Structures are given as C-alpha cells and as structure tokens.
Amino acid sequence: MNELIPIQDNDGAQAVLGRDLHKFLEVKDRYNDWFPRMVAYGFSAGQDFTEFSVKPNGAGRPRQDHVITLDMAKEISMIQRTDKGKQARQYFIECERKANEARDTSVENVKSVVAQMTRSEILQIAMNAEQERLALEAKNKELEPKAEAYSSFIEADGKYSVGAVAKMLGIGQNKLFRELRNIGVFIAKGGMKNTPYQQYMRHFEVKAYTITHSDNSESVRHTTYVQPSGIDFIRKKLNLPSIDPIPEL
C-alpha cells in the first residue's frame, strides 16, 4: 500500500500529523487558520489531537503542528468534500484494516504457541500469574495509606494540577513552571506556553477551554495536568529529593 500520508505511532495507535494532512488535501487556507476551524467541529485536545511546536529544519521560528488520531483525520477528510478528501479517508480506512489484520495475526500466533504447550507448562504459567497477583495485592494494601494522603491533591479525573505537584515536591508553582520551561519539558512562549512538548505528553494531559473577552471576542487557553507517572518524571528531571511513590489510583 502506497503511503499517501505518513502514518505516525502515537503510543501504539495510528495517527497523522496535521500539516501532512493539510498538505495532501491541498487546502488553500493557511494551516494555522484551517486547523482551528476543523477543531470547531467537536474535536478535543488531548483526546483527538495533541499540539506541539517544531523548528523547520532545526532553525527559525517554531511552527505549530498537531498529532491527530486516525478517526479525527477521517472526519476532517470527509468534511473537505473534495476528491482529495475522499481519497485520504479511504486511505486511512485501509491503514486501519492493515493494522487490524496484523493484530489478528499476532493473536493467532499466540494461540498456536499455546496449543503446542504441555499441560505442565500451562500450569506453571498459571502458578506464576497467581504469585504475581498475590504480590500485587500485598503491594496495594501497603499503598492504601499513601493513596489516602494524596487524595486531597488529585482531580476528579485522576490527574494532578501543576500546583498540587509543586506542593508535593516542596517548591512553588511558578518556580516549577519556570524550571520545566528552562529544561525544555514545557513550551516557553506562544499560545501553548506552559504545556509539554509532544515527546513528554505521556506524563501530562492538556485541556483547552475558551475565554470570552469584554469585547465578545474569544480566545483558546490551555491548562496542563500531570499524570501520576509525571510526578516522579518531574522529580527526576529537576534532580529533586526522592518522595514516596504515588500509588496508582
């Protein structure tokens, strides 16, 4: 299958870059004007797409780009109502079909291996799994008091605000933002200031919201939240003293 639009690996899921799709669709409008209009059709930052900035050829002013899911890419292609849009949508459907075939093949290979195993080998695997379950259960009991201690910090959706993480690490919120910008984890300027670069996104979540100004104009702002894994990631990045591990809630 010819690669009409490069397919990206986004934490194991297929995705494409917004600018690659924009180029293939031959959209006449500037990317920075076109993409917000596409988002307005009901797509959400952090769920359907992730924003990041890159420097063309490693130099010059950074430009905005997005990693978008294949589902979002298919809908955007359909919205265009052009032959290019139809071609892109069919291409993405074919990419998904190929990926599903590969997964099905992997499952069949596993079944084939299991079918060839002896009864004693299967029993040993079951025993090992039970031992791991008991060890995990014991660890969870040990972490219960820590989970209660952190419950006052956690948001309803299981994420932590940057301010809460700053408290855990014993530093001020503004200083934490500044340090993360200085070491290149957070974007330092522009509309996405204080949000993480794409390579660190797995430790964070960015939520977009609209602000209505006194003149009735609107602008989009972004708030960064920290995943449980991001707390120790930040601590190590900033060489801060060790803290008790955050239990998985």
Side-chain angles (χ1 to χ4, degrees), residues 132-148 246-249:
E132 290 178 2
R133 185 190 70 78
L134 292 173
L136 180 60
E137 187 176 278
K139 182 179 179 180
N140 287 340
K141 287 182 178 179
E142 178 185 342
L143 290 175
E144 281 178 4
K146 295 173 182 176
E148 292 178 4
I246 304 298
E248 294 293 336
L249 301 174

Side-chain angles (χ1 to χ4, degrees), residues 26-47:
E26 297 179 352
V27 178
K28 294 181 180 179
D29 296 333
R30 291 175 60 251
Y31 178 78
N32 288 347
D33 297 327
W34 172 78
F35 191 79
R37 292 205 307 273
M38 298 300 101
V39 172
Y41 278 94
F43 300 107
S44 301
Q47 178 179 341

Side-chain angles (χ1 to χ4, degrees), residues 3-34:
E3 189 178 53
L4 299 181
I5 306 168
I7 299 296
Q8 310 293 323
D9 181 5
N10 185 28
D11 288 335
Q14 291 181 313
V16 296
L17 295 183
R19 286 188 179 274
D20 287 343
L21 180 57
H22 177 263
K23 180 180 179 181
F24 178 81
L25 294 173
E26 297 179 352
V27 178
K28 294 181 180 179
D29 296 333
R30 291 175 60 251
Y31 178 78
N32 288 347
D33 297 327
W34 172 78

